Amino acid sequence: MIEKLKNKYLFIDIDGTLAEYRYDDKLYADKDPKIGSQNLNELLFGDLFYKARPLKIMQKLIEQLDPNKIYILGTILTNNEIFQKYKWIEKYYPTIKKENIIFISNTMLKPKVILEYQKHCNIPLENICFIDDRVDVLTEAELNKIKSYHISSFID
């Protein structure tokens, strides 16, 4: 996979892609606060996201690629989450530039955000790849001609 991704601009999801999709050893469930450890207090004031375990396979991948071409494209719910995710990325993925971290509020907008960056930065679409854990978002990206990979593509 490293050879496929060299010299490409990568847009990479955080939860479930760079980080395990568990917090405090419970499944993270942003749609149903009764599942897992989340509640409004934790989302607004806790350190739920900072405790996420990084995926070593992704750490190794990112270490071998051009940091100028790596963009993080994550979804957030609260300001607290933004702060924690910046701090978390800095700790576990230190080569990623802060200016290349993009937070949006709706996961399904990711393909549109990638296309806007592609236009704004004048990057040929064939030089862009997207990595995420959600098949619905990856499918939408592929329908928009964005080369997309599920996190499982990186697991041996």
Side-chain angles (χ1 to χ4, degrees):
M1 285 303 288
I2 291 169
E3 287 307 312
K4 282 185 181 181
L5 298 177
K6 275 202 172 164
N7 302 315
K8 301 284 186 189
Y9 289 83
L10 296 180
F11 288 81
I12 308 171
D13 173 53
I14 300 174
D15 300 310
T17 306
L18 293 181
E20 180 181 33
Y21 207 67
R22 293 181 75 77
Y23 300 94
D24 289 335
D25 201 29
K26 294 180 181 129
L27 181 66
Y28 171 64
D30 59 352
K31 294 194 182 345
D32 186 352
K34 293 179 272 182
I35 299 174
S37 63
Q38 312 81 304
N39 60 46
L40 190 55
N41 184 56
E42 276 187 274
L43 287 172
L44 292 173
F45 307 109
D47 60 358
L48 184 69
F49 299 98
Y50 191 63
K51 296 176 183 178
R53 184 179 64 86
L55 297 180
K56 292 189 185 331
I57 191 83
M58 295 306 288
Q59 286 178 308
K60 289 176 187 174
L61 173 73
I62 287 173
E63 286 172 5
Q64 297 179 53
L65 299 173
D66 182 352
N68 295 309
K69 294 181 175 182
I70 297 174
Y71 291 83
I72 303 306
L73 182 53
T75 307
I76 52 90
L77 298 173
T78 69
N79 290 342
N80 185 43
E81 184 179 355
I82 293 171
F83 172 76
Q84 288 180 49
K85 286 184 177 180
Y86 272 126
K87 191 174 164 185
W88 186 89
I89 291 166
E90 184 179 324
K91 180 177 180 178
Y92 294 111
Y93 295 90
T95 61
I96 293 174
K97 297 179 173 190
K98 191 170 185 175
E99 61 268 22
N100 288 1
I101 300 172
I102 306 157
F103 291 121
I104 60 175
S105 61
N106 182 329
T107 299
M108 290 308 291
L109 289 176
K110 287 180 180 182
K112 289 182 176 158
V113 169
I114 293 169
L115 291 173
E116 285 301 317
Y117 267 79
Q118 180 257 330
K119 289 177 201 166
H120 182 77
C121 299
N122 199 25
I123 303 166
L125 194 54
E126 62 269 10
N127 289 346
I128 293 177
C129 292
F130 175 45
I131 304 169
D132 204 299
D133 62 319
R134 287 194 39 182
V135 175
D136 57 341
V137 179
L138 293 169
T139 300
E140 183 66 25
E142 290 258 330
L143 289 171
N144 282 282
K145 310 275 190 269
I146 301 166
K147 184 71 174 174
S148 301
Y149 295 96
H150 187 270
I151 182 65
S152 63
S153 299
F154 300 89
I155 299 169
D156 287 333

